Amino acid sequence: MGNKQSPPDIVIGRLPIYLRALDILAKENQVVTSSYELGERLGISSAQIRKDLSHFGDFGKQGTGYQISYLIEQLRQILQINREWGVIIVGAGHVGQALANYRDFPDHGFKIIAIFDNDPAKIGTKIHDMTIQDMNSVPAVLREYNIKIAMLATPAEAAQEIVNMLVAHGVQSILNYAPINLTVPEGVQVQYIDPVGKLQHMAYYIRDGE
Amino acid sequence: MGNKQSPPDIVIGRLPIYLRALDILAKENQVVTSSYELGERLGISSAQIRKDLSHFGDFGKQGTGYQISYLIEQLRQILQINREWGVIIVGAGHVGQALANYRDFPDHGFKIIAIFDNDPAKIGTKIHDMTIQDMNSVPAVLREYNIKIAMLATPAEAAQEIVNMLVAHGVQSILNYAPINLTVPEGVQVQYIDPVGKLQHMAYYIRDGE
């Protein structure tokens, strides 16, 4: 980051959504797209898309649209995923195991390096070619692989203490599946995956009796 | 909903976060809290919390704070989770299986009724006391249990077609784990769970070489 003036975080958060749509278009062998087409696919206005992208440069010509492969390459560079980041999973319960088996990480900038648990019955067993390691080994693995990203899938009670340890050993990004709000120092990012909260949010709108 | 004037959706989305924090305080046997305490725990300003809650009524007295059990009850009523909603899971891969095993749903307004897949090798096998059923049975189960909520954990390619079928049979809320944007008619809610997008979002901020 340094002195770089960053666009709003909400704009950064939409770039992965654009990238996902562009990847699908590329798989469909399309070469050029427009903010209109992307907007249609995503339910986002074309003006919003153009404004968001304009924070980072001039990626298309008026009337000719965007070269898909070029825009993909640029967005990957902006998001710093034109490389592969090592990621660890802490917690080898059902959620941690599903993450270890999730096939969508490797093509999108991330490689699962290791998975950890503190349950002696789990330590030493295998998930998807990885051996579940003792929590005590976390610092050594973080150091060896220069890991900056962790996914947290522990019970809520254990989460904050583990996060403190991860941050002390250089982790800067935490994807938190534990149902609890985490406190982290400035410069560390946390994103939450909370299916219960999202279901509760949607329940507000349900019209029953239909 | 009818003619009820709804507060902004972003406010509705914060209510489950407040509820989660209140549940934790209640478990810690605390009786009264304040917007300051909630704000501290959640990293949200106390003014924001008071403003959000004021959309729905007057839940605390100046200087005396909120009765936790009363506020929990009120929020559950506002979110329509002072009852139990049946939920189905479509897709019994690793994600669908993790959802079927997830222990956090039953206490928070939701009960998993059934899980479906189209893989003959999976149909008839058991996950967590539930038998995986054939996709063809979805409409009958939706009708029998008056289901309004589905969690979608299928490959991206299959997702839109399945959603069309779910909506045609009365589903109004979809929690989508498939990595694709969905199109739904007005009155149907979709929320996305996208770990890859969240990792990409955070990768933007990582300072390497530290």
Side-chain angles (χ1 to χ4, degrees), chain B residues 17-49:
Chain B
I17 297 170
Y18 301 155
L19 193 52
R20 182 81 79 177
L22 291 163
D23 280 338
I24 291 172
L25 288 169
K27 260 188 207 150
E28 295 168 356
N29 297 314
Q30 199 168 318
V31 175
V32 175
T33 187
S34 64
S35 56
Y36 296 97
E37 183 177 46
L38 284 173
E40 279 288 309
R41 291 217 171 196
L42 294 172
I44 298 175
S45 81
S46 58
Q48 181 73 68
I49 293 172

Side-chain angles (χ1 to χ4, degrees), chain A residues 19 21 35 58 61 68 72-73 77 92 106 130-131 148 203 210:
Chain A
L19 192 52
S35 55
D58 188 12
K61 288 190 189 119
I68 291 171
I72 288 174
E73 189 190 308
Q77 192 176 316
M130 278 184 299
T131 302
K148 304 294 185 194
E210 286 184 19

Side-chain angles (χ1 to χ4, degrees), chain A residues 9 80 83 201 203 205 208, chain B residues 9 80 83 201 203 205 208:
Chain A
D9 183 61
Q80 302 196 102
R83 52 161 288 178
H201 182 170
Y205 296 102
D208 205 358
Chain B
D9 184 61
Q80 302 197 99
R83 51 161 287 177
H201 182 170
Y205 296 101
D208 206 357

Side-chain angles (χ1 to χ4, degrees), chain A residues 13-44:
Chain A
R14 280 193 290 262
L15 299 186
I17 297 170
Y18 301 155
L19 192 52
R20 182 79 80 176
L22 290 163
D23 280 338
I24 291 172
L25 288 169
K27 259 189 206 150
E28 294 169 355
N29 296 313
Q30 198 168 318
V31 175
V32 176
T33 187
S34 64
S35 55
Y36 296 97
E37 184 178 45
L38 283 173
E40 280 287 310
R41 290 216 172 198
L42 295 171
I44 297 175

Side-chain angles (χ1 to χ4, degrees), chain B residues 117-146:
Chain B
D117 206 289
N118 64 2
D119 179 354
K122 285 182 184 154
I123 295 165
T125 64
K126 285 215 160 195
I127 303 178
H128 194 66
D129 291 348
M130 277 184 299
T131 303
I132 300 175
Q133 299 182 57
D134 190 312
M135 286 288 298
N136 293 335
S137 312
V138 169
V141 171
L142 292 178
R143 200 178 321 116
E144 182 178 349
Y145 293 92
N146 186 33

Side-chain angles (χ1 to χ4, degrees), chain B residues 148-210:
Chain B
K148 304 295 184 193
I149 306 174
M151 299 197 279
L152 193 65
T154 67
E157 303 76 55
Q160 184 64 57
E161 198 178 331
I162 291 170
V163 163
N164 296 347
M165 180 268 285
L166 294 172
V167 169
H169 290 92
V171 168
Q172 294 178 24
S173 297
I174 295 162
L175 188 60
N176 178 32
Y177 284 76
I180 189 166
N181 192 70
L182 298 172
T183 303
V184 292
E186 206 175 331
V188 175
Q189 307 290 318
V190 182
Q191 293 273 343
Y192 296 86
I193 300 271
D194 178 14
V196 165
K198 296 210 165 196
L199 290 178
Q200 291 180 336
H201 182 170
M202 292 191 289
Y204 175 85
Y205 296 101
I206 297 175
R207 306 163 309 281
D208 206 357
E210 285 183 22

